[in-house]
Amino acid sequence: MRHAFGFVLGVLLTPALVYGAAWGYVQAGQSFDGTGQEITDRTRIYGAFALLAAVGLVTGVVIVARWASPLVSLVPALALLGASAYFLVDPGRALDLPGRVPPAGDMDFGLRMLLGSGVYGMMGLALLMPAWAPRRWGSDRRDDPADADFYSAVGR
């Protein structure tokens, strides 16, 4: 049951991370002038940085959460790594994909830039790491005597 819930959560988390990072990237880029080295819209850049921080926080929690099924991180990891590999094989078609998925507009630019710059590949590799931990695949039972000593020592 834990892995079924983890799979569903991973499927829901994938577009949230992808679109959240892309929208934050676009909003941050539109709120400062790189040539004049000044922030042109403080409200927009604060919101963009808050969204990017939230994406980073959710990613970090998914990576370190011992209670979570590894599928919570594995599903978005495979999607992000698959998209990155597709970009490396056929960049034209991969960069055309955001134009086919709603919403259109500035979001497409953010999706293309993060895909083409390797940010989604980096996020995918970071999210892949928890799936390698054998402890995450097992249940939370404490039947092993060695584990009982550990849990009594940490107070769980």
Side-chain angles (χ1 to χ4, degrees):
M1 185 66 183
R2 180 172 81 99
H3 295 307
F5 178 70
F7 178 78
V8 171
L9 188 57
V11 168
L12 296 174
L13 191 61
T14 301
L17 293 175
V18 168
Y19 281 103
W23 191 82
Y25 172 82
V26 168
Q27 295 304 312
Q30 291 177 349
S31 60
F32 76 95
D33 179 19
T35 56
Q37 298 180 352
E38 64 180 333
I39 296 173
T40 57
D41 188 349
R42 290 203 179 275
T43 304
R44 179 184 279 186
I45 202 161
Y46 291 155
F49 275 42
L51 178 62
L52 290 170
V55 168
L57 178 67
V58 168
T59 303
V61 167
V62 167
I63 289 171
V64 301
R66 292 184 57 174
W67 52 264
S69 165
L71 292 176
V72 175
S73 65
L74 185 61
V75 171
L78 293 178
L80 290 166
L81 290 172
S84 297
Y86 186 50
F87 170 75
L88 293 174
V89 171
D90 193 357
R93 287 182 127 178
L95 293 175
D96 189 42
L97 286 176
R100 297 181 188 177
V101 180
D106 290 339
M107 184 71 74
D108 292 348
F109 175 74
L111 292 168
R112 288 181 181 117
M113 289 302 295
L114 293 179
L115 178 62
S117 64
V119 172
Y120 286 151
M122 178 185 63
M123 288 172 61
L125 282 175
L127 287 165
L128 185 65
M129 292 301 113
W132 289 354
R135 185 171 198 95
R136 298 269 307 255
W137 288 99
S139 66
D140 197 25
R141 293 182 299 160
R142 300 181 185 132
D143 296 337
D144 188 12
D147 284 346
D149 291 339
F150 171 76
Y151 287 117
S152 64
V154 295
R156 279 184 60 182

